[in-house]
Amino acid sequence: MSILDFPRVHFKGVARVNVPTGNRNINNTLDISTNTAIKDGKPYDVAKPPQAFHDYVKSFGPKFNAHGRLDDEGEFNLAAGYNMCGNNHFSWENTLITSVQLKPGEYITEDKLVGNKLSLWGHYNEYLRTSFNRARWVDNDPTRRDSALIYAGQLTITDPKSSANTAHILSADIDCTHGVRWVNRGYIEEPINHFLHEEMSEARLFQFTVKKDSEEFIFNQLGLESEFLSVLKDKLKDPTVKGLVVQYCVSNLSPPMTPNKPVFCDLHGSIGLWYDDDMKTSPTGRILRPDNSEQYAPIALSVKDNWLSLNSAISFPHQNYEQAIPVQNGMPPALSDKVDLGDLYLKSNSGQVVAVIQPQDYINNHLNAGVIDIPLPDIDAQFHQQSLKLCSERHTWYESDWYIQAEQHILSMESPNKELNKPSTQSLDIRSYYRGEPASVSQLATHVLTPNTVACSPFVETDDNGRGKLDIESLGAGSAELFLGEFYSPVQIRVLADDWALADTPTELVDYDFLYTHVMAYYELFYPFMTEAVFSMADKCKCETYARLMWQMCDPKNRDKSYYMPSTREMPEVHSQLFLKYLCNVEQSAMPNILPAAQSEAKIRGKIKNKKQLISALKDAVDLELSIMLQYIYSAYSLPNYAIGEHLVSLGRWNEQQLELVNGGKDRRLNSGWRGALLEIAHEEMIHYLVVNNLLMALGEPFYPGKPVLGEQAKDTFGLDTEFSFEPFSEHIVAKFVRFEWPAFFPTVGKSIADFYADITKAIDELPDLFGEEKINLGGEHHLFLNEIINREYPGYQFEVYDKETALFAINFVTEQGEGVAAESPQFEVSHFSRLRAISKALTNSDIPFEPAYPVLKNPVFEARSGCNLVTDPAAVELMQFYKGCHELMFQLMMQHFAIKPLGSMRRSRLMNGAIDLMTGILRPLSVLLMTLPSGVPGRNAGPPVPEAINTHVFPDLEQGCMAISEQCKKLAAMGRAMVCAKPPTTQIELLEFFQNQMHEIATGKLSREA
């Protein structure tokens, strides 16, 4: 049964827990029933700065220093806790398999599986298309520490020495949210004098399962020669085995030395077989409960083949610490062995001693994670019909004959919608066991402790397989708890705030101020990590920039995904729908005032003979990716957004089918039509641009910004006969894009991009001494805009390049996303080539031909340039000049990042994130606006100017560089305000002023370079 059966895996490591602590309501600062911040007993005025509330929470006494002692000058207090800026990230660090078991009492440490690394990942984010996704630890009720829920999406086992782009020994999807099942509040018997001593002394046990019949269950992909894996593979063929069960325990919290840092805890656990009779998220077996639940935890046991197996993962406490606290490196302190309780006697209610567990069996559990096997003497045949107890001189555990549990025992629910007289209900799966075996129960009483908050069925019944249902109805917002049976099995419920009165708010009224006041202010006040790591919701310019993304992250259908926002899951559905209304409003603001009436193999020429030529070819590749990306963006932005498309439908210019083709669904979820598909492909081209730059930097070169190449120059540089030009979306342009991405394995005439990269691949594979012997990543890491296939196979991939293998993988990654590499490859279906062909076919086969794009100029410029068309309209020219300055600023931010610290994290760099914000918040809406303005050429609109090579100065010194960028932001903001014929939206000027201040703060040391 579960991990009490064989085979078993045991593991040990460290958990990184980044949970927010300012929401624990220590000093009456929070009303969780209404999501209201409280100051001095009254609701906080959300019109005031969030920092004022943060300072208020931090002002409460008593104060504590880094050693956890009372100190009036200390940086810590209970109200803010140790990590007010926590973002709920949860990960397993350096977690390795310590032993495997094929039979009782024998721990194998020489098997090839031992020493390999386990990782817990979050869910793939379909919207941002990210890798390196973190699981989330969420305190469902922040006022109690036994309400933790884990949102995780993938489990992997890999070689700890392998790179991020290496296949797994095991990979499996996780489809169940799992909460803390057992808690031992006295896991360290002798706590120290520290204000966090209670939390530091606790241990929590979690459990989840993975299905063997899932398409994403990948077993021994490396073909590891392991006796254990062979036995496990055979066991998984048993039809009663559903998959694997993973139990893990988090304990021994090491407090940070400074506030607002994640904490590290000991992690240990076991993996076993998941049988049909087992629960997904709770240990099963014969359950013994401790008399003293403050210092001990339950034990599950089973008897099979004259062996007793005990699941005592957190059941026995450690004696004390063996290392001074806090540990300088932040890691959990070393602990002594478990407390010596003497011999433990397992007895039946007839008095027979079934087994004796000696101290050496439980004092040190390094190899077995607390899952212990004891040989049994001959026992009474009536043993299985008797209750059990485990006794020592100090303590006793008693068997609960009936073990009744809900599969989902920690949950949140909506409040009833009194506006529509609509109840809010939820049905929970219940499992019942009698002395470890599934059994039917009838008329099992339920006990609701909070009758004003929830109601439920007065009785529970289960079938012969121990399965049943419990219906719960919410009555009012707040925290609730109920018990099943003899007060042994709690179900914790968080009923979300009742704001149904906002549901009928007209879309046009849901502007930024409305959304901030009614929804976002609460999260800004209690979870400042958004300001630190992403963007402040108090910044209107950022919220308008990312309005679509905010809706997608808050979409209720994503609630069980790790990436869902807010990560604390406190948002009622009515609030999330307001984000969609806000997005619709933002889209409406873009409404123009006037709507305008053959070879089968890649040709590897082998022309690259040395490192210098390879560097030159890679720089051409950067220019290629940049040039193609900009063409995709230009074409995408020539298509109206959804709100404007709706207006065109109302005018009879489009029909509903055409609207869906161009813009996708009204719900603004994943399907965003041709416009969204082109932007997704452009995002991936941007990643290709960065990946190729990582290759350059791995060869010792500096970051290369690249230059857009058009017309004859593109033909001469890349050897491609497809025209490089900036043109609006049309059948002709989509056909051109298909040619860009044409795979080498389909016959074609002339050189393709596949040929271009084939020469580079050959050079990397054959040229000697390109990379140093040390495996040092010489490029910036990121994890945006990667498809789900890449994430599933390589969830830790972040563009690493440090040797030939990773360099070849990077080139293959670029070509796979573009052309698909092979028709039978799983990447082919989601390749740029396949997606663009799908657009081309839909456009060609449309029942009613239509031109979806604005009639914009080809290759627009505001200063005469060969091969380009001159825009003369004064308003358009002013905005194009402003666009050019912002475009150069965006590259200046990116180049300055790499000039100062090329090995730093791109995703944490305020400079790189600033560049992305400028793309999204200024260049994107300016592009859309320019495409609706007249150009001066009859019948044609203007557009963003064709970019030129960037010629901007970067500094080797962070202070000088950020000061220069701050000054450039100031000049551009002034330029925007001084325009005569046209005015950019105030949001864009505010965004420039935001970065003017931020860059100045970085330059003066008031703000870190990395978020």
Side-chain angles (χ1 to χ4, degrees), residues 626 689 704-708 884-885 887-893 895 947-955 968:
L626 179 63
Y689 164 88
Y704 173 59
K707 58 182 183 294
K884 180 176 185 290
H887 183 263
E888 291 172 349
L889 174 65
M890 182 265 292
F891 268 94
Q892 190 175 354
L893 281 158
M895 293 167 67
E948 301 179 74
I950 300 299
N951 183 21
T952 185
H953 183 67
V954 294
F955 298 85
Q968 186 64 14

Side-chain angles (χ1 to χ4, degrees), residues 260-512:
N260 299 321
K261 301 289 184 184
V263 294
F264 292 88
C265 303
D266 282 335
L267 177 79
H268 68 272
S270 303
I271 302 175
L273 298 174
W274 173 32
Y275 288 93
D276 188 56
D277 286 343
D278 297 327
M279 293 185 68
K280 295 172 65 172
T281 63
S282 179
T284 47
R286 300 186 68 163
I287 307 297
L288 278 63
R289 298 182 182 276
D291 259 355
N292 178 2
S293 60
E294 291 300 311
Q295 199 164 3
Y296 301 91
I299 295 173
L301 62 82
S302 72
V303 173
K304 186 176 181 182
D305 299 330
N306 292 319
W307 280 87
L308 168 70
S309 295
L310 297 97
N311 180 0
S312 59
I314 59 171
S315 306
F316 309 121
H318 287 268
Q319 186 72 45
N320 51 37
Y321 295 101
E322 289 190 340
Q323 194 172 3
I325 295 176
V327 181
Q328 292 300 312
N329 64 4
M331 290 297 103
L335 296 177
S336 68
D337 285 339
K338 299 289 182 70
V339 173
D340 186 348
L341 300 175
D343 288 345
L344 302 173
Y345 298 92
L346 182 66
K347 298 180 180 180
S348 66
N349 59 8
S350 66
Q352 179 188 18
V353 175
V354 178
V356 179
I357 299 97
Q358 298 177 335
Q360 63 263 29
D361 297 319
Y362 62 81
I363 278 182
N364 190 322
N365 298 141
H366 175 72
L367 289 180
N368 60 27
V371 182
I372 304 166
D373 302 308
I374 307 295
L376 291 178
D378 291 335
I379 57 174
D380 186 341
Q382 299 300 311
F383 159 75
H384 293 291
Q385 281 75 48
Q386 300 184 47
S387 297
L388 302 174
K389 64 180 178 179
L390 186 66
C391 313
S392 76
E393 292 182 357
R394 295 181 53 179
H395 187 62
T396 302
W397 285 259
Y398 293 94
E399 180 171 17
S400 304
D401 286 342
W402 281 99
Y403 188 56
I404 319 293
Q405 294 286 336
E407 276 286 13
Q408 186 183 8
H409 70 298
I410 302 173
L411 65 148
S412 59
M413 297 178 63
E414 295 290 335
S415 290
N417 187 341
K418 297 174 184 175
E419 304 291 319
L420 299 177
N421 196 27
K422 183 178 178 181
S424 170
T425 60
Q426 195 156 334
S427 182
L428 303 185
D429 290 328
I430 303 297
R431 301 296 299 271
S432 61
Y433 299 86
Y434 183 75
R435 293 180 184 162
E437 298 296 330
S440 171
V441 65
S442 62
Q443 296 295 299
L444 173 75
T446 58
H447 308 271
V448 178
L449 292 189
T450 49
N452 294 327
T453 311
V454 295
C456 72
S457 315
F459 299 100
V460 175
E461 293 192 358
T462 60
D463 61 19
D464 291 341
N465 295 313
R467 298 175 185 270
K469 296 284 186 181
L470 175 67
D471 295 323
I472 300 176
E473 180 178 355
S474 67
L475 304 177
S479 291
E481 189 168 21
L482 61 91
F483 291 96
L484 306 176
E486 301 174 9
F487 289 85
Y488 284 142
S489 303
V491 177
Q492 298 177 24
I493 304 160
R494 171 83 177 270
V495 181
L496 303 176
D498 180 0
D499 241 344
W500 288 110
L502 297 176
D504 293 330
T505 306
T507 298
E508 60 271 17
L509 295 184
V510 186
D511 57 9
Y512 168 79

Side-chain angles (χ1 to χ4, degrees), residues 182 294 304 419 421 518 642 666 684 745 802 970:
W182 293 349
E294 291 300 311
K304 186 176 181 182
E419 304 291 319
N421 196 27
H518 291 280
Y642 192 93
K666 187 174 185 177
E684 289 171 5
F745 50 86
Y802 45 73
K970 182 179 180 181

Side-chain angles (χ1 to χ4, degrees), residues 655-797:
N655 60 36
E656 291 287 349
Q657 180 186 8
Q658 291 164 340
L659 173 63
E660 185 171 356
L661 284 171
V662 176
N663 295 117
K666 187 174 185 177
D667 58 12
R668 273 78 158 181
R669 286 179 168 137
L670 274 176
N671 175 21
S672 49
W674 296 338
R675 190 175 192 266
L678 284 176
L679 288 175
E680 284 184 4
I681 292 171
H683 292 156
E684 289 171 5
E685 295 292 348
M686 180 174 69
I687 291 307
H688 298 174
Y689 164 88
L690 293 172
V691 168
V692 178
N693 251 305
N694 274 4
L695 280 160
L696 275 171
M697 289 187 281
L699 295 174
E701 291 293 300
F703 175 80
Y704 173 59
K707 58 182 183 294
V709 185
L710 301 177
E712 288 299 316
Q713 185 184 2
K715 186 174 182 179
D716 293 341
T717 303
F718 308 127
L720 307 176
D721 57 4
T722 307
E723 183 184 12
F724 279 51
S725 58
F726 287 71
E727 299 186 58
F729 180 92
S730 68
E731 289 184 49
H732 156 69
I733 291 304
V734 176
K736 180 182 84 167
F737 291 163
V738 170
R739 288 293 309 163
F740 278 158
E741 308 287 0
W742 197 274
F745 50 86
F746 287 145
T748 184
V749 177
K751 184 179 178 182
S752 69
I753 293 176
D755 299 322
F756 182 89
Y757 275 114
D759 283 335
I760 292 174
T761 300
K762 180 178 176 66
I764 292 173
D765 190 38
E766 296 183 356
L767 291 178
D769 304 323
L770 290 177
F771 306 95
E773 292 186 7
E774 289 189 64
K775 290 192 173 184
I776 300 174
N777 184 21
L778 295 174
E781 52 85 9
H782 214 304
H783 53 232
L784 278 177
F785 308 134
L786 299 174
N787 65 39
E788 188 170 5
I789 296 171
I790 287 288
N791 173 72
R792 187 172 306 288
E793 294 182 349
Y794 315 110
Y797 184 58

